[in-house]
Amino acid sequence: MKHLGIRLAALALAVLLTVTVCGCTPRTDGPEKGKIQPLPGEVPVDLDGYEFTVLDFNSGRWNREASGTPFYDAWLQVMDEVEELYNCTITATYKAPGELFNTVQPEIAAGGKAADLVISTEWEFGKFLGANLMLDLNELEVNWDNEWWNKNLRKTTTYNNKSYVGGGSFIFDTSQTWLVYFNRAMWNEHGFEDPYELVDSGRWTYDKFREYARTAAKDNDGSGKLDSSDDIYGVIASDVDLCDAWFQSMGGHYFKADEKGKVVLACNTTRTYDIVEKMYNLIQKDDVYGFLGYGEAEHVQQFVSGGALFYCYMVGKDGLQDMEDDWGVLPMPKYDEAQEEYLSGVDHNSSVFGVTNTNEDIREVSIVLEALGRHAMILEQIFWPDYKDTYWRDPESERIVSEYVVGHGQHDLALIMQNCGAAFQAPRNRLFQTAFRSAGSDYSSYIDAVEDAIELQIQDFFEFE
């Protein structure tokens, strides 16, 4: 939560730096020139002027005053198309993160719906779930198998055969999916393998990441350890958020739904313990990692000044444009070569949506949601490609992001439900204390000691039989 302001600023910068590769001219081709035409396969419905209301924490969305960049112009186009084709209006109200729950809960208690669509950060959305305020999205007349919906998020947050958490094209999560920036000059200096061949061949793994970080790390000030800005770090990042992204990039999860739809602990496996040991070894034993504070400015400065081989963060970090050396991006490394695909963690400040369970306008909400999902597919197409002229330093960066980062972000109930009780916080907090602090290396013994208590609390929370 503490990094949200920085991240929204980074997101805004990334939007401003975007160069479009497809036009944002309203789609008016067809027999009736000048009129917005449906997209292929779309059958618009007349909603008789229905007002679709949105409650959001991000004032950059739905904002008709924001225009003049390809991305914001595309947002206006999406809203114009949906409003004209479906004879409805879209209006939005904004509340700062942390205020949404206190806005929605009293309105629901009074019998209102608060809004047709509620968009919050992951960490705040758990409050709605804990208070039982949200509708099972399966009750909507929406085809959640359509390409514009986030299926990974849906799968991860479905329990008791019900889904309360949504994500999709109009709040795509790639901009808050973690990746690895690398100093190309330093990489070449050490004679490392071609980075993109490593990725494409599936050999960009934790072991290779660790090997290169150890090779590059250097105690320049002679203190006997890496502890100052004069040193060269193998890896720098914000520790709490890196912990989640790194864990999930190697296939780790804190919770999952079993075959019966019950939420169970998922970090009590041999694979998890091996992942934690890998993290522990790099952080606690190798002396290659640098945590320079909770603000990102120090990390960026260290990387920009040539003081680190790897910088882990999300896409579009301000300040990298000023770096003298060339840099590129890689996905988060895999656990090993047998891992089927590159994965990463989506930050807990990313956006998710839901519908309140007092909303009786199911038909209208369903129709507008499906229309928004369909028409907003242009947003990510505009946001990512062709950063190269204004942001990327390496011509391969756009391809790497498109192929190995977009759509590869992972979600977990622990991040969403973190404010709903100690049971959701415990395994995640302990993993962080193990890998990045002084809890020792024995994560498995801790899980063995608390597993039954966590399972009981989870069972009670979800009212499992």
Side-chain angles (χ1 to χ4, degrees), residues 139-193:
E139 295 184 24
L140 297 175
E141 300 164 15
V142 170
N143 182 359
W144 297 109
D145 291 327
N146 280 328
E147 60 181 322
W148 40 85
W149 303 123
N150 188 320
K151 297 174 183 60
N152 178 276
L153 175 63
R154 178 174 169 79
K155 177 182 177 181
T156 305
T157 58
T158 293
Y159 50 87
N160 279 345
N161 298 315
K162 297 181 178 180
S163 302
Y164 301 94
V165 189
S169 59
F170 52 86
I171 53 170
F172 60 88
D173 61 17
T174 316
S175 58
Q176 293 191 292
T177 301
W178 279 60
L179 46 66
V180 179
Y181 297 90
F182 70 96
N183 182 312
R184 188 62 188 254
M186 196 179 300
W187 185 285
N188 293 341
E189 175 189 342
H190 289 289
F192 297 148
E193 291 186 59

Side-chain angles (χ1 to χ4, degrees), residues 207-278:
D207 288 337
K208 190 66 69 173
F209 177 73
R210 183 187 186 193
E211 174 193 339
Y212 288 0
R214 293 174 68 178
T215 300
K218 188 175 181 181
D219 175 24
N220 279 336
D221 63 7
S223 67
K225 59 181 180 180
L226 303 188
D227 58 2
S228 78
S229 59
D230 294 326
D231 297 328
I232 295 177
Y233 295 87
V235 185
I236 54 171
S238 295
D239 51 7
V240 174
D241 299 321
L242 172 63
C243 186
D244 290 325
W246 193 7
F247 178 56
Q248 293 188 80
S249 74
M250 291 191 279
H253 277 285
Y254 301 102
F255 296 95
K256 66 178 182 180
D258 65 14
E259 63 278 1
K260 296 181 180 179
K262 292 179 60 177
V263 176
V264 296
L265 202 64
C267 55
N268 54 354
T269 66
T270 300
R271 171 66 173 258
T272 295
Y273 305 147
D274 289 344
I275 291 173
V276 176
E277 183 178 8
K278 287 179 181 289

Side-chain angles (χ1 to χ4, degrees), residues 339-352:
Q339 183 174 311
E340 292 185 2
E341 62 177 306
Y342 292 100
L343 304 171
S344 185
V346 176
D347 193 81
H348 68 169
N349 285 307
S350 65
S351 302
V352 293

Side-chain angles (χ1 to χ4, degrees), residues 393-407:
R393 292 292 185 85
D394 193 310
E396 289 282 358
S397 293
E398 185 271 326
R399 181 182 71 83
I400 292 296
V401 171
S402 297
E403 293 185 17
Y404 301 113
V405 180
V406 173

